[in-house]
Amino acid sequence: MTQSRGPVKSADRALAAIDLVASLGSASFAEIAEALQLPRSSAHGLLGTLVDAGWLDVSTEPRRYRLGLHAWQIGQRYDGHRLLLEKAKPEMDALVAATGETVQLARLDGVENVYIGISLSPNPMRMASSVGMRLHAHATGIGKALLGVLDEADARARLESVVLPQLTPRTLTDVDQILAAVGRARELGFATDDEEFVAGCRCVAVPLTTERETGIASAMSLTMPTSRTDASWPHGLYPPLRDAAQAIREKLGLSGALSP
């Protein structure tokens, strides 16, 4: 009989170090040791091993750790959303041409939206994340669209499992209020972010795929500075966004309305 095993402490520490450096972009020895609550001797051994294996690089002056070549090589082999991105990118580019605004594609991971594709607005002033960035789903339009493809019990369990930060005065942090907003978005067909993640930025988003359909929950959004929105926002941007999403679904061989 196979026994279940708990996490291996050394592996947990190595993964935590890689995640920390990835989230910060770069980190000093002291920052890593403090964040992971490691003794200096253990931190030296752990970071030395990761550098030797290519997972991390370290600069000499100032001495800071960054992701190494091996991390990039492993990342390039991941293709969990490759087909979705291949089918979506032409439609995303066409949507940028039609609206002049940035289009973003994200998938759900826990209570975060992870951006997997971006087509940038040609305007010099634009709001956009970067591919690989993780944002809090409760505070973004695309995140609420992603939460909307889950059943309510699943969405509630995810939201209640973490502390939800208040990012702007408009951010909803009460789980019942967030779920009510997600429910309204499901009824309307689109979700919004009205300066809830960052002041001066608005977003309209629609769900794209569910885990049951493709293995991942995904959504697509139009993001723009508040100054470029008018009285038709958000309803005026919904039709082209909806049509682009439907075109992508058809390319994926999916049909019919989305349902959790």
Side-chain angles (χ1 to χ4, degrees):
M1 183 177 183
T2 302
Q3 294 182 340
S4 61
R5 297 180 180 178
V8 178
K9 180 178 284 189
S10 59
D12 269 359
R13 287 176 170 175
L15 293 171
I18 293 168
D19 281 344
L20 178 66
V21 172
S23 66
L24 296 177
S26 70
S28 68
F29 174 86
E31 289 170 338
I32 296 171
E34 181 179 355
L36 301 184
Q37 297 183 323
L38 292 175
R40 292 182 65 86
S41 58
S42 298
H44 273 298
L46 174 66
L47 295 175
T49 298
L50 291 174
V51 169
D52 289 344
W55 286 99
L56 297 180
D57 281 337
V58 59
S59 57
T60 54
E61 192 61 41
R63 191 171 178 81
R64 295 187 69 82
Y65 294 86
R66 295 175 173 79
L67 288 182
L69 180 61
H70 191 57
W72 177 83
Q73 290 172 324
I74 293 296
Q76 295 306 300
R77 295 172 189 168
Y78 173 76
D79 64 354
H81 49 248
R82 176 186 54 79
L83 179 62
L84 172 61
L85 187 56
E86 282 180 0
K87 301 298 184 183
K89 195 61 168 69
E91 300 298 332
M92 293 169 65
D93 292 343
L95 189 55
V96 172
T99 64
E101 303 299 350
T102 293
V103 178
Q104 301 180 101
L105 179 67
R107 62 177 296 177
L108 186 64
D109 184 20
V111 289
E112 295 178 317
N113 36 279
V114 182
Y115 291 92
I116 60 176
I118 296 176
S119 294
L120 289 172
S121 165
N123 291 297
M125 180 185 290
R126 59 196 182 204
M127 303 291 181
S129 57
S130 58
V131 171
M133 183 178 289
R134 308 171 72 95
L135 301 183
H136 301 285
H138 74 285
T140 64
I142 204 166
K144 289 197 282 287
L146 287 166
L147 290 171
V149 304
L150 305 176
D151 65 71
E152 185 171 332
D154 187 3
R156 178 179 291 278
R158 296 188 191 208
L159 292 168
E160 290 180 344
S161 69
V162 298
V163 176
L164 303 173
Q166 178 92 42
L167 302 172
T168 78
R170 293 176 176 265
T171 309
L172 297 177
T173 58
D174 178 82
V175 172
D176 287 332
Q177 292 180 346
I178 295 167
L179 290 175
V182 169
R184 287 194 297 273
R186 191 185 289 113
E187 292 174 1
L188 290 170
F190 65 89
T192 61
D193 163 8
D194 189 2
E195 300 186 276
E196 295 161 56
F197 184 78
V198 62
C201 179
R202 280 176 163 173
C203 164
V204 183
V206 296
L208 192 57
T209 63
T210 67
E211 290 185 2
R212 185 172 58 190
E213 291 175 323
T214 64
I216 62 172
S218 66
M220 186 167 63
S221 69
L222 277 165
T223 305
M224 72 254 12
T226 303
S227 60
R228 275 209 302 274
T229 59
D230 56 26
S232 69
W233 187 90
H235 299 277
L237 291 172
Y238 172 52
L241 184 58
R242 175 201 60 208
D243 293 347
Q246 188 57 40
I248 295 168
R249 285 179 58 78
E250 290 173 0
K251 287 182 176 181
L252 291 169
L254 305 173
S255 61
L258 279 173
S259 61

